[in-house]
Each structure stands twice: as C-alpha cells, then as structure tokens.
Amino acid sequence: MNKKLLAVAALVCSLTVTAQSEVRNLRIENRIDPVGLDVIQPRFSWQLENDKRNVMQTAYEIRLLQKNTNVWNSGKVASDSSVHVTYKGPALKSGEKYQWQVRVWDNNGKGSAWSRPAFFQMALLQPSDWKAEWITPGYPEDSVLRPSPLMRREFNITKKITRATAYITAHGMYEAAINGNRVGDAHFTPGWTSYKKRLQYQTYDATGLLKAGRNALGVTLGSGWYRGTIGFANHHNFYGKDIALLLQLDIEYADGTKELVVSDGSWKSATGAIVYSEIYNGETIDARKDKTGWMLAGYDEGNWSPVKTEAFDKGNLLATYNEMIEAHEVFKPVKVLKTPAGETVLDFGQNLVGWVRVKVKGNAGDSVSLYHAEVLDKAGNFYTENLRSAKAKNTYILKGGDTETFYPHFTWQGFRYVKVEGYPGTVSPDQFEAVAFYSAMEPTGTFTTSNQLINQLQHNIQWGQKGNFLDVPTDCPQRDERLGWTGDAQAFFRTASFNMGVNNFFTKWLRDVEADQIDGRVPFVIPNILGNGANSAGWADVATIIPWEMYLAYGDKRALATQYNSMKNYVESIRKTTKDNLWNTGFHFGDWLFYRPGDDNDGRSAVTDKYLIAQCFYAHSVQLLINAATVLGNREDAEAYGRLLKEIKEAFVKEYMTPSGRLVSSTQTAYVLALHFDMLPESLRKQAAERLAENIKSYGNHLTTGFLGTPYLCHVLTRFGYTDLAYKLLLQETYPSWLYPVKMGATTIWERWDGIKPDGSFQTPSMNSYNHYAYGAIGDWMYRKMVGLDTEEDGAGYKHIKVKPHIGGNFKNASATLKTYYGTTAAGWKVEGGNILMEVEVPANTTATIYLPATDVAAVTESGKPLPAVKEIRTLGAEDGYLKVEAGSGKYRFSLPGK
C-alpha cells in the first residue's frame, strides 16, 4: 500500500474511532483551563461520550506537554477512573503553562482519538517567587470616611510579548486595570478567608491587555471585609487598620527574556471618586472628584503621593482555588411605584443580591440616592427595619454634562425594591438595571414538576443559594450580618450540591473551618469574627457533615483526606467535655427558629431539649468520622470510633428515652434526629416513627421543625413508610410550611416560616431575613426522594447512580437532571393514562441501580420491549415494592402499570 493509501486508511480509522467514542469536558482540579494552580499534584477529569448503551472506560492515557515538548505521559493505564486522576510526572514549575490531552479505551475494544488540548497554568508555588512588595497609600488617610485609594504605575514595553501574567491580592478589596481595561471578571477580590492564616491571590492572563510602548497599571482599593465594618457587633479593622496592595506582573517576550513589573516604592497614590464604601452601608461616589484618565499612560500624576512599602506577611498567600464572585443575571424594573408615603420605588420582581446600575443626566452636584429593601409593608410602603443598622444606601453625585452611569464597586445589597431619591427628571425603568452577583459556580441541577407552586419553591431555593453564595456561604445578604454561619451551611449543603457545582466553593471554605478551629472546637461563623463562641451542636458539626457529603456528591477522596484531621479534632473536642459519654454541657442554639404558636393557638411550642439534640449530632459526627476513616483505609480509627459510637448511643437511650421508647422531648425534631441518626434500638424505631407521624397529624399536617430538624424531616418519613405524609407537608400551603411564603409572593427562601404573617404584618424585625436558604434544604428530598436521583455510597460522585422515585402527592410528573463529573444524568416520572412512564439517563462510564415501582416484571416494558427481552438491563429482583434492575450507560424509557 502506498503512502497516500495509508494516509486515507488512517483518516478513515480515525473517523471511525471518533464516531465510536469521544473524550470531552476536560477539567483539572475541577476547573476548565485554569490560570493559577498551586496544587503540585493536580488531578485530571474527563467525560467519555458514546451513544451506545453499557459503555465503560477500560483504560486511559494522559499526555502533558509544554511548548509542544512532552513533559509526561502516563502510558496506557488499565482503569475505569476518569475523575480525579492524579498527575504523577516531574515537578511542575511556578508560572508555567501546560497543555494536556487524554484518550481512552472502552469495553467494546474501541479507542478514542486524543481529546482536544486543555490547558492550565501554575501559580507562584513558593513565597520566594513573590518579588513584589506590599504598598499602602502615601497620603494621610481620612480615618472616618476612608475614601478608596487609587494606586498607579507606568512602564514601557519595547519587545514583542508572548505571555503576561498578573498576580494580585490586597488587604481589603481591589479592582485592577491595565491601560484602562479591567483585569478579569471577578468582583470583591481577593474574596474572604481567614486572612491572618490564608490570604488568596488571583492569577490573570494579562497578555491581551498590554501594548507596545507606554502602559499603565491602575488599582482601586476598598476596605472590604479586611478593615470595613463586619458582623452585627459592628467590628471594624478586624484584620488590620491598613489597606494595601500586592501586585506582580510577569512578562515573557518572544526573544526568551522576561521582565517583572511589581508593586514597590515607585508607585503613586491618591483618592478619587469613591469617597465612602462599606459593605453594609453602601457606597458614595462623587463624580466631581473623578481623576479622568488616571488608569491610562501619560496621565499627569504630579499631585499624587508616593506609596509606602510595608513588610507585611507573604507566608499566608495561596492561589485561588474556588470560583470568584462575578456578575450574572440582569433585571429591569417590572414597575415603578409611588408608595402611599409618596416615595418613588422600583420593583425588580426578584429578591436578588448585587447592585443597581443607573444612568442619569443632570447638573454638577446633583445627588441621587438609592435605598434597598426586600419587601414593602402591608400598606405598600418601603420597609427597611429588618436591615437593622445596615444603611444599604448608594449615593451618586453628578459632575454634570452628558449622561453619566453609576454603580458601586466594593459593596452589594440584598433587595427586590429600590427607593430612588434626588433623581433629576422622570424616573424611568429604562435608566435602571439590577445586576445579580454570586460566586461563578456552574449550574448543575434542574428540577421541575406538574405543580407550579413547587416549581416556584425550587426557583426560590436556587435564588436563595445564589444570593448567599458570595465567596462564603452567608446566612443572609442584606442586613448587618452576612456571615458564614456553619449551621445554615451544613443544613443546606446537599441541596446546594445539586443546584450548582459547589465543590471548589466549599473546599476553600472548609480550609477556613480548619484554620479557625479553636483546639478542635468549631466557631459559629467561618471566617470567625465573633470570638471564642464555638461547638454549638448542629452548627459545629459542619466540620464532619460537609466533608462527608462532599465525598458523596463528588467522590473526592483527597478533599475528605484533607479535612480528616479537622473532623477528628472536632469530635475529640466534644469528647473532652463529656461525662459518661453524654454531651450535656456548653451553649447550643438548638433547633433554631422552630415553631412557636401565637396566643390564638393551643399554646404548644415545639421546644426540643438542646442536650438531646447535642447527643444526636455527637453520634452523627462520630459516624461520619467512621465513614471517612473507612473510605481512607484508616482501620484503626474506624474500629476505635465504632466502639465510641456504641457508647454514645447507649448513653442517649439511658438519658433521653423511656423504656417504651418515648423521648423526653416529644417534638418532631427530637424524633426526626433520633431516627435519622439511628439513636434508637432497631426494635423501637417503628413506634418512634408512628409517634412522629401522629405529632405531624396533630398539628393539622404541619411541620414544627427549625433549622436542625427540617433538613431530615421528609427523609425520615419516607424511610419509615410515610411518604404520603411527607407529600402532605411539602404541599401544605398554610403556616408553617414551605409553600406558605410562596403563596405570600416570596421569590427566595425566608429565614422564618412566617416572615410575613397572614395579616401582612412582619415577624420580629431584628431577625427577619427574606433571603435565608436554610429551609430550602427540602430541595434535597425533592431531588433524591421524590424524583429519586441519587448516588450509591459504593460509587460516590455518581459513579454508581441510584434512581428510586417515590410517586405521590397527586403530581402528574416530576423530573430532574444533574451534571456530574461523568456527564449528565437524569431521571423523571409521569403518570399518564393509568400507567407510569419513567425515563432515566445514565452517562458513559457509570452504572445505575434503578428501582421501578412495580411488582410484576412481565408488566414492565423498556422502549416498547418487554423488560426481560432488553439485554442491556439485568433484573436483580424485588425489594420493598420495587423491581430492582441494573443498567449501564444510555437512555432508558420504562412503562409500568400505575397503582
């Protein structure tokens, strides 16, 4: 065969292979083409796409190149691993850019083509790689208003550039520009961490921002979390009084030479248009003080002050691992209101977190103020009392002339309504738009049903998550708080991990959990700005709950191993305080915001003994530590803590349960926690579940649970055969219920079950947020039980998918999709014409165990064929009223008789 024919044959072979299977969606450390990794052994993930059923990967090969030179090749590795595959090549170098590809072989004997190249660039791996100096303003600061400093420097470029990388961080917040163009899409950088121990810097590809000749670097700073007012105790200067910049620009030229432009004593400083900026109170911009052109080369900086250099720590610097906060959806006002009080108010139709961009034309000195609120009062007036001391006010002072556009820089608000004061001319919706901000996590899950109220509930859950996932999982985004409350985060995590890819977000935050632990004890908020308060049951257990649930959701053993010491230290911090294995000391929030009826009710208040709750969570954390030890191969710890767990449960039974199985607290939360955490002897669990069900019925099919009981309530009911009651709770429309706020017009999850009472009045304004995601934890039941889309523990991260729907509630249909590391998985059911139709999608390189709500295999079809005739599906038998089958990748459509 001549060379031409060989080439044609090779092309045909290549096309055939590609048609058989394709490798896509390459990620490294859970990110696509990241710039700025400081993980010295990063992990590769990819997806295998193939339309055939039952496709599994049997081998892979990874190659790593730099400038077309081979750095490492894994060789052909016999493995079905396609997620978190560890790099095992030569040491990676600071600042260097690498290219990687992967190809795979499947169980049909077919090999894929090499994937399209993916890239990553390393960050600065050693403190000595930092040549920049910390710089602070050189002028005398106004210590009251603290206007935002401006810092600038110019430099020359005389050669052709091949690559330029900027590394930037700050004490405070920063916005950087090169030649007047913004560096990156992130806002509120460098984000919020336990700054003394962990200060993140961001890495940017700045190649396209530079030009031949004269260039200018310009950076604006804001006080932010570092020295601004934070916490409802009005802390300020919590991490320090200074405001400072650290910046390093690495430039590589085509001739092989390099140049550094760094923050040092040559920079100049001044103040500009941002005359005041605080997270809670808002921002004031005086456009008359704008230093036009200061971010461009050639600007006259003669009146600017030289900066000061400082010997601040660089040992706490680390590269950014998580997705940063970015701008997302944009909303126009749905109406302009004139309130009974005569105020002009914009309604954006959605409770969101971010800020409003306004266009205005007027005279120099005209002042426009925007005030932010979540709700209107019962009379229709603007209501801000629930913001407490947070002013949430942005003020813009015009310089006059042409139309001016204003928006804040280092603050944000939580709002649906905006009151406008001082606007020259007519307030028109065309002049205003609200921009939503949240950490740029990938949307991963969808959920929809035949019930529009439940669909709105899902909408509210998602927007509660968006509004409170701004670099840390905050409790609320509007008042003088916005803190990383640990109890809220653990209660909501599993729901959060369905809606968005939160693995990087929480991996970063969990490192701060460990950094801020006090002799193992976990503070109430992370980062900890509230002092020594710690180890409240159900809050502090975030140290064990989220690492384990992250493992289940993402199959990430390294994240579990990284947090293992934190988990163990937390458990031991409890153990030190116990007597006879009882955790019955210390402060505990308890079942926060549980049901407390008003005077017109029967006087029952669902008070659950706080030490009973503590004992349940103590046992749960020990169980999760055992689980982690088992997965990580730590047999000795697993056995030792197994013995401890037995003693903890025995102590619970002795202290909190009567011989007949009645608990000392007869609340829903008490029985939910005791059942969910297996605190009761198995022989007494059935009657305990009956007591729980009777309690719910005695309240007219209403829940009475607070932050700690609510996440598990419907799960427990389903586990013990009361799914019909779980549906009644889900669909309950009167207070207290999930749908009561929906019926009252909520667009996010409320902090309280009755944030707005039926008569239109408000709950206690000192603690009444209308964007507070904790009760949105019901989403987890809707996704994993109602639709039934879940992961098995033996194949965490949806390597082994579980689909077990629970049909009920007079729903006509319910479905969910989830983007996993392996691809999109989906499940759904529809009740139609006396039959149940079930659809399941299983990504390549995974398997699924599917539970069909049927008893007779002969009555079930798949894609129109009798189930026994479908060779790709293996029937495993009957279990709890379901037919249990096993399937590999592919799309499946089952039909079975309805009940």
Side-chain angles (χ1 to χ4, degrees):
M1 189 178 288
N2 61 34
K3 290 183 178 180
K4 186 173 182 180
L5 287 174
L6 281 170
V8 171
L11 176 60
V12 171
C13 180
S14 172
L15 290 171
T16 302
V17 169
T18 303
Q20 291 295 325
S21 54
E22 187 173 357
V23 180
R24 291 186 178 181
N25 201 13
L26 275 63
R27 295 173 186 254
I28 186 163
E29 288 302 312
N30 310 318
R31 294 162 63 188
I32 298 173
D33 296 341
V35 176
L37 281 182
D38 65 1
V39 181
I40 59 174
Q41 280 190 295
R43 295 163 301 163
F44 305 99
S45 300
W46 59 87
Q47 292 176 3
L48 174 61
E49 291 197 3
N50 194 306
D51 291 335
K52 291 185 177 180
R53 287 184 171 182
N54 290 339
V55 174
M56 291 291 290
Q57 175 186 296
T58 57
Y60 67 81
E61 182 180 7
I62 303 171
R63 65 184 182 191
L64 187 74
L65 300 97
Q66 186 180 29
K67 298 176 181 177
N68 297 319
T69 301
N70 187 62
V71 174
W72 173 67
N73 190 299
S74 69
K76 185 176 180 180
V77 179
S79 171
D80 66 349
S81 294
S82 59
V83 171
H84 302 139
V85 177
T86 304
Y87 170 71
K88 297 179 180 178
L92 302 171
K93 299 177 182 179
S94 287
E96 294 295 329
K97 187 174 183 179
Y98 299 91
Q99 172 184 311
W100 68 285
Q101 293 173 282
V102 63
R103 61 179 176 178
V104 302
W105 289 262
D106 63 33
N107 55 336
N108 296 312
K110 299 293 185 180
S112 75
W114 284 103
S115 67
R116 290 183 179 179
F119 302 88
F120 66 94
Q121 184 174 330
M122 298 304 289
L124 302 178
L125 302 181
Q126 302 293 333
S128 58
D129 292 330
W130 282 97
K131 309 303 179 185
E133 296 179 275
W134 281 104
I135 58 175
T136 61
Y139 55 82
E141 271 206 276
D142 176 345
S143 60
V144 177
L145 295 178
R146 299 206 282 203
S148 286
L150 312 178
M151 295 181 174
R152 72 181 310 275
R153 182 198 159 162
E154 294 188 17
F155 57 97
N156 257 347
I157 290 179
T158 59
K159 296 184 286 186
K160 184 179 179 181
I161 296 172
T162 56
R163 186 158 60 98
T165 305
Y167 307 91
I168 313 175
T169 191
H171 288 175
M173 295 177 181
Y174 72 85
E175 286 186 359
I178 297 177
N179 298 321
N181 297 308
R182 201 175 201 282
V183 178
D185 297 321
H187 291 255
F188 315 127
T189 46
W192 191 11
T193 50
S194 181
Y195 290 133
K196 298 293 186 183
K197 301 168 186 173
R198 293 167 32 81
L199 175 60
Q200 293 193 146
Y201 62 88
Q202 284 72 52
T203 307
Y204 304 96
D205 183 348
T207 311
L209 300 177
L210 299 175
K211 62 181 183 179
R214 202 76 180 150
N215 288 260
L217 273 166
V219 181
T220 309
L221 300 179
S223 295
W225 297 282
Y226 184 85
R227 73 170 191 178
T229 300
I230 53 173
F232 40 71
N234 283 322
H235 290 298
H236 63 278
N237 299 332
F238 186 82
Y239 297 99
K241 292 182 179 180
D242 67 284
I243 190 166
L245 171 70
L246 185 70
L247 184 151
Q248 184 163 307
L249 179 63
D250 291 9
I251 305 172
E252 299 178 24
Y253 294 110
D255 63 6
T257 60
K258 297 182 178 181
E259 182 179 359
L260 284 179
V261 178
V262 299
S263 52
D264 56 20
S266 67
W267 287 57
K268 295 294 183 68
S269 61
T271 58
I274 304 174
V275 297
Y276 175 84
S277 185
E278 288 283 350
I279 293 173
Y280 296 161
N281 294 333
E283 195 163 289
T284 300
I285 297 177
D286 188 343
R288 297 170 302 178
K289 297 185 177 182
D290 183 35
K291 291 180 166 50
T292 304
W294 73 273
M295 291 186 287
L296 303 175
Y299 175 79
D300 182 3
E301 59 185 32
N303 294 325
W304 288 45
S305 303
V307 298
K308 300 175 186 175
T309 60
E310 300 284 353
F312 296 140
D313 188 18
K314 297 177 188 174
N316 62 339
L317 298 176
L318 63 150
T320 299
Y321 186 79
N322 57 303
E323 298 84 2
M324 299 302 294
I325 299 167
E326 294 182 8
H328 296 279
E329 296 90 343
V330 176
F331 294 83
K332 299 296 290 185
V334 295
K335 63 179 72 171
V336 179
L337 306 170
K338 184 66 74 171
T339 70
E343 298 169 326
T344 300
V345 173
L346 305 173
D347 177 5
F348 286 94
Q350 172 64 50
N351 194 350
L352 63 106
V353 175
W355 38 247
V356 173
R357 183 185 293 121
V358 55
K359 293 181 179 179
V360 57
K361 185 174 183 179
N363 299 317
D366 285 350
S367 178
V368 178
S369 292
L370 305 183
Y371 301 81
H372 302 77
E374 296 183 286
V375 293
L376 303 177
D377 68 17
K378 63 190 300 183
N381 287 313
F382 197 69
Y383 178 80
T384 59
E385 192 176 354
N386 70 320
L387 302 185
R388 300 192 303 221
S389 68
K391 294 183 176 63
K393 174 187 177 184
N394 296 328
T395 299
Y396 306 125
I397 302 170
L398 281 64
K399 64 181 175 183
D402 294 333
T403 298
E404 302 173 59
T405 301
F406 290 97
Y407 53 87
H409 298 260
F410 302 114
T411 187
W412 66 90
Q413 287 80 40
F415 64 97
R416 172 175 170 171
Y417 300 94
V418 171
K419 181 174 69 173
V420 183
E421 288 185 351
Y423 192 89
T426 302
V427 172
S428 165
D430 295 338
Q431 307 304 315
F432 299 85
E433 58 184 16
V435 184
F437 282 84
Y438 47 89
S439 291
M441 302 162 291
E442 180 183 10
T444 50
T446 68
F447 169 81
T448 187
T449 76
S450 56
N451 186 309
Q452 292 309 308
L453 290 177
I454 297 300
N455 293 343
Q456 182 65 42
L457 175 63
Q458 168 65 4
H459 170 95
N460 295 1
I461 290 169
Q462 290 179 318
W463 275 93
Q465 180 170 348
K466 290 177 179 181
N468 282 292
F469 278 41
L470 276 79
D471 207 57
V472 300
T474 59
D475 59 323
C476 60
Q478 71 296 93
R479 66 191 182 210
D480 56 346
E481 195 166 343
R482 315 185 196 188
L483 306 178
W485 282 94
T486 50
D488 306 52
Q490 69 82 8
F492 188 68
F493 174 81
R494 200 64 190 269
T495 300
S497 67
F498 174 86
N499 286 317
M500 293 181 171
V502 298
N503 41 341
N504 292 339
F505 179 90
F506 275 104
T507 295
K508 169 257 187 183
W509 188 70
L510 285 172
R511 302 306 296 139
D512 287 309
V513 169
E514 182 172 30
D516 281 352
Q517 280 180 259
I518 308 162
D519 297 324
R521 295 179 295 122
V522 178
F524 304 149
V525 299
I526 300 294
N528 180 23
I529 63 158
L530 297 184
N532 291 323
N535 270 21
S536 173
W539 271 252
D541 299 87
V542 72
T544 54
I545 291 173
I546 291 186
W548 177 249
E549 291 191 343
M550 274 191 62
Y551 170 70
L552 293 181
Y554 300 111
D556 189 344
K557 283 188 181 180
R558 182 184 287 182
L560 192 62
T562 298
Q563 293 302 127
Y564 186 77
N565 284 338
S566 169
M567 298 172 75
K568 188 173 179 178
N569 289 339
Y570 167 59
V571 166
E572 289 299 326
S573 75
I574 302 172
R575 194 177 191 174
K576 291 174 187 175
T577 68
T578 61
K579 183 178 181 182
D580 299 326
N581 295 302
L582 282 172
W583 187 18
N584 56 5
T585 58
F587 169 82
H588 301 279
F589 290 108
D591 192 29
W592 192 249
L593 297 182
F594 58 86
Y595 173 67
R596 299 171 188 258
D599 294 334
D600 56 337
N601 285 274
D602 63 5
R604 291 191 297 169
S605 189
V607 181
T608 310
D609 186 289
K610 291 184 179 181
Y611 292 138
L612 180 153
I613 291 172
Q615 192 73 0
C616 289
F617 275 96
Y618 181 24
H620 186 48
S621 279
V622 172
Q623 180 65 70
L624 298 183
L625 184 57
I626 294 167
N627 294 353
T630 303
V631 167
L632 299 173
N634 190 336
R635 183 177 175 182
E636 185 177 335
D637 272 5
E639 291 176 352
Y641 286 106
R643 292 189 292 271
L644 175 62
L645 180 61
K646 182 174 181 291
E647 294 168 353
I648 292 169
K649 291 184 177 181
E650 288 172 351
F652 175 88
V653 168
K654 183 178 179 181
E655 184 78 4
Y656 299 110
M657 193 189 80
T658 69
S660 66
R662 185 177 295 277
L663 298 179
V664 297
S665 293
S666 60
T667 63
Q668 292 174 23
T669 290
Y671 283 101
V672 164
L673 296 181
L675 288 167
H676 193 69
F677 299 153
D678 295 331
M679 303 301 291
L680 305 177
E682 195 162 349
S683 61
L684 294 176
R685 293 174 189 173
K686 182 176 182 293
Q687 58 83 26
E690 289 173 359
R691 286 193 172 109
L692 171 62
E694 287 306 313
N695 182 296
I696 293 169
K697 292 172 185 175
S698 75
Y699 280 93
N701 295 326
H702 285 87
L703 52 76
T704 63
T705 50
F707 276 31
L708 298 185
T710 299
Y712 309 116
L713 176 58
C714 286
H715 285 280
V716 168
L717 290 172
T718 292
R719 175 183 168 186
F720 288 96
Y722 293 96
T723 295
D724 58 336
L725 192 53
Y727 270 112
K728 287 178 181 178
L729 288 179
L730 176 67
L731 294 170
Q732 179 63 256
E733 296 181 9
T734 58
Y735 162 77
S737 69
W738 287 286
L739 291 185
Y740 171 75
V742 173
K743 294 280 284 188
M744 295 294 286
T747 60
T748 44
I749 300 296
W750 292 354
E751 179 177 21
R752 292 176 176 268
W753 294 119
D754 60 342
I756 302 176
K757 297 182 179 181
D759 65 0
S761 62
F762 297 127
Q763 254 288 0
T764 308
S766 62
M767 195 171 64
N768 195 21
S769 159
Y770 295 99
N771 193 352
H772 215 98
Y773 55 71
Y775 287 139
I778 184 58
D780 180 50
W781 183 84
M782 298 192 303
Y783 319 143
R784 293 201 294 133
K785 299 302 179 185
M786 183 178 177
V787 172
L789 188 55
D790 201 354
T791 183
E792 297 279 13
E793 288 191 18
D794 67 357
Y798 298 87
K799 176 69 168 170
H800 182 186
I801 296 162
K802 177 181 180 181
V803 178
K804 188 176 183 180
H806 293 80
I807 298 170
N810 292 320
F811 283 81
K812 295 293 187 290
N813 60 71
S815 61
T817 67
L818 180 64
K819 293 180 182 177
T820 75
Y821 280 128
Y822 301 94
T824 297
T825 183
W829 50 263
K830 180 188 295 185
V831 179
E832 186 177 86
N835 289 326
I836 296 172
L837 304 178
M838 268 183 65
E839 294 187 354
V840 177
E841 182 175 354
V842 183
N845 205 30
T846 69
T847 59
T849 300
I850 305 169
Y851 294 77
L852 304 170
T855 54
D856 183 7
V857 67
V860 179
T861 63
E862 193 284 310
S863 297
K865 297 180 182 178
L867 187 61
V870 182
K871 63 180 179 13
E872 299 96 345
I873 296 176
R874 186 161 66 99
T875 302
L876 302 178
E879 182 179 306
D880 297 330
Y882 290 88
L883 281 176
K884 187 176 177 182
V885 303
E886 190 173 69
S889 65
K891 295 181 179 180
Y892 301 90
R893 183 178 174 86
F894 300 96
S895 178
L896 49 146
K899 295 183 179 180

